[in-house]
Amino acid sequence: MSKNHLLELAADVVKLAQDAGATDAECTIAEGEEFSANVRMRELENLKEAGSRAAGLRILIGRKTGSSYTSDLSPEGIAHLVKSAVELADITTDDPHADLPEAGELGTIGGDLRLYSEDVEGLETVLKVATAKRAEEAALSADPRISNSEGASFDTHIGRHIFANSRGFAGEYRSSYCGLSTVPVAREGDSMERDYWDSSARCFAGLEAPEAVGRKAAARALRRLNAIKVDTRKVPVVFEPRTARSLLDNLFEAVHGMLIYRHESFLAGKLGEKVASENVTVVDDGTIPGLFGTSPFDDEGVPSRRTPVIERGVLKSYLLNSYAARKLGMKTTGNASRGLTGNAGIGHGNFYLENGVQTPEQMLAGISDGFYVTELIGMGVNIVTGDYSRGAAGIWIHNGELTYAVSEVTIAGKLQEMLLNLEAANDLEFRNSIASPTLKIGEMTVGGK
């Protein structure tokens, strides 16, 4: 198929739906190729290559919605796609808030967002396997106590995303991804621990060196050896960037428009109020070139943008698609997100907490006794009440230094108080579409023996 064929096809599907009785229609087409190589103990375990192409249609007949999807893009397949969506819309009930964004809200941001790199598409299988092997080898040879491995993997994905609707929007973009990770196992006496490190980028050249990934994974596994439990106490808790991201996950849920209009978030009704420490600024930005949360438009055809969510401790915005916006009497923030079928949900762009002033070392230096969290376990977070309790492992902080490994403890608090007692270090790095620097919470309960 020609490059423009799919964009034309999406517009055709919308027109066919209107001809079949839809008052409005949206069509999403996605195609992609993915590759994965897994090695373990220096041997190739498996290779996976897969390609996919499918179309999804969502229609409105008045205020009734229907949606369907197909991987059969032949004329017969498309005719069935349209027929299914219309039949479903006929039997659903009216929803007064069901609609598409206004024509004036639609558009796409210009310029090169660096979402696609040809160097990923051109990678040879031999090189991908060799890269995974190099990462695992670096971990295995880092220290005699690294006696085993759960493997290493190298993954790539090349994709195209096409969207068109009945209000004049038609757009598309390509994206690429490659990622490398390894999971070594360390052993000393009766103590055995695993950890991992990974690196991912839009382009192959953006990956960390495989040897660096392996050594970092090995160092992380080794520092977990001979962990102890600590007595229950209240102390400052520091989240390394990897675990700090999970706090941002919780915060994203708390400003998610669907949860807000259902009053299922502790931040419902708090716009304009101080909800965090004044040195906390949280931003959602889908426009930063080269990052994983970036796109020229959201999944309703609304341009991506930068939305300050918390500014110097004050709650400034929720994250909304057009449906949640109508429910709340607000405007969409360009955060619609969906798969191929169904109504749009809400997703984030690059959702991050801005850098603070101190280095992580300066942050630790001020702590006489505390807990540095390197892993979180379980899902004990209640977004309605803000209650927070999770299993954790990490390193004990004593007199400003990271000392001995700690495991099998829980950390507990209230998200409302945690946000008000939050400090950020200055080591923000975008390794993911959710990103955070090292974070310190003034006091939490660390539950052990």
Side-chain angles (χ1 to χ4, degrees):
M1 288 190 179
S2 71
K3 179 173 177 289
N4 289 327
H5 176 83
L6 292 178
L7 192 59
E8 290 159 12
L9 179 62
D12 288 347
V13 171
V14 167
K15 186 162 187 329
L16 286 168
Q18 288 177 294
D19 291 345
T23 44
D24 267 307
E26 307 174 303
C27 178
T28 304
I29 299 179
E31 68 170 356
E33 292 169 30
E34 58 182 279
F35 172 94
S36 183
N38 293 295
V39 303
R40 185 176 174 273
M41 296 306 287
R42 304 181 172 95
E43 297 293 329
L44 177 63
E45 278 208 324
N46 57 60
L47 285 176
K48 183 179 89 174
E49 266 189 281
S52 62
R53 178 186 281 158
L57 171 66
R58 174 177 175 267
I59 66 157
L60 286 150
I61 299 177
R63 289 286 176 264
K64 295 178 172 188
T65 62
S67 61
S68 59
Y69 77 103
T70 183
S71 53
D72 176 4
L73 302 190
S74 69
E76 298 76 25
I78 295 299
H80 184 69
L81 173 79
V82 172
K83 183 168 175 281
S84 297
V86 171
E87 285 172 354
L88 280 169
D90 278 337
I91 58 171
T92 57
T93 52
D94 273 19
D95 180 342
H97 300 285
D99 203 356
L100 269 56
E102 299 294 329
E105 293 178 305
L106 301 168
T108 182
I109 55 176
D112 181 10
L113 292 174
R114 302 206 306 272
L115 304 183
Y116 171 78
S117 175
E118 283 183 355
D119 77 353
V120 177
E121 200 161 4
L123 290 174
E124 298 285 340
T125 298
V126 174
L127 176 63
K128 297 176 188 179
V129 173
T131 304
K133 283 186 172 178
R134 281 168 60 192
E136 189 192 44
E137 182 58 47
L140 287 168
S141 56
D143 188 287
R145 292 170 293 171
I146 303 289
S147 57
N148 205 339
S149 164
E150 290 186 11
S153 66
F154 188 93
D155 303 276
T156 62
H157 183 266
I158 303 283
R160 255 180 97 206
H161 182 85
I162 293 113
F163 182 78
N165 71 15
S166 53
R167 303 217 170 156
F169 182 87
E172 68 167 319
Y173 57 90
R174 289 195 295 173
S175 61
S176 57
Y177 162 90
C178 57
L180 172 67
S181 66
T182 189
V183 188
V185 179
R187 185 169 198 151
E188 189 170 49
D190 293 334
S191 175
M192 192 159 75
E193 295 287 347
R194 63 191 276 286
D195 209 320
Y196 74 92
W197 192 247
D198 61 356
S199 174
S200 52
R202 291 284 189 192
C203 59
F204 181 64
L207 287 179
E208 291 169 36
E211 288 73 20
V213 170
R215 285 193 297 267
K216 186 80 180 265
R220 291 181 66 88
L222 290 164
R223 72 179 183 178
R224 295 180 65 146
L225 287 167
N226 304 308
I228 63 167
K229 263 191 184 181
V230 291
D231 294 329
T232 297
R233 62 188 90 176
K234 289 190 172 181
V235 290
V237 170
V238 177
F239 292 81
E240 68 165 2
R242 198 168 84 183
T243 50
R245 281 208 310 256
S246 78
L247 287 178
L248 270 286
D249 266 322
N250 302 144
L251 188 58
F252 165 66
E253 268 192 88
V255 297
H256 189 292
M258 305 283 193
L259 271 66
I260 297 299
Y261 75 67
R262 293 184 197 129
H263 294 279
E264 291 174 0
S265 165
F266 69 93
L267 291 179
K270 297 275 199 294
L271 277 183
E273 294 183 22
K274 184 177 192 287
V275 298
S277 149
E278 64 180 30
N279 55 29
V280 170
T281 293
V282 175
V283 175
D284 182 69
D285 192 342
T287 71
I288 308 170
L291 299 187
F292 292 122
T294 300
S295 59
F297 51 86
D298 78 354
D299 286 347
E300 291 184 304
V302 173
S304 297
R305 66 196 65 179
R306 181 183 189 277
T307 304
V309 175
I310 295 175
E311 210 163 40
R312 297 190 59 76
V314 176
L315 182 62
K316 291 289 191 180
S317 181
Y318 299 127
L319 296 181
L320 311 169
N321 61 11
S322 64
Y323 185 86
R326 281 188 292 275
K327 279 272 199 184
L328 292 164
M330 297 175 176
K331 291 284 189 192
T332 175
T333 54
N335 285 91
S337 172
R338 77 171 106 209
L340 281 174
T341 188
N343 298 326
I346 293 171
H348 51 75
N350 300 292
F351 189 69
Y352 65 97
L353 198 148
E354 285 189 351
N355 267 328
V357 180
Q358 293 183 306
T359 64
E361 293 74 21
Q362 288 168 330
M363 181 178 274
L364 292 176
I367 299 172
S368 57
D369 254 324
F371 184 37
Y372 183 79
V373 181
T374 61
E375 184 183 26
L376 288 162
I377 303 142
M379 297 304 297
V381 184
N382 186 322
I383 298 299
V384 183
T385 62
D387 291 338
Y388 184 99
S389 176
R390 296 192 66 183
I395 303 167
W396 198 254
I397 306 162
H398 185 63
N399 292 335
E401 301 282 336
L402 295 175
T403 53
Y404 48 85
V406 171
S407 67
E408 295 181 47
V409 295
T410 57
I411 53 173
K414 285 277 270 196
L415 284 167
Q416 294 92 323
E417 291 161 17
M418 290 162 68
L419 286 169
L420 289 165
N421 289 300
L422 196 64
E423 271 181 66
N426 65 356
D427 57 340
L428 175 68
E429 190 183 4
F430 288 96
R431 306 180 65 83
N432 200 284
S433 58
I434 286 190
S436 172
T438 299
L439 298 180
K440 174 183 137 190
I441 290 166
E443 185 179 87
M444 291 182 77
T445 300
V446 176
K449 292 187 281 195

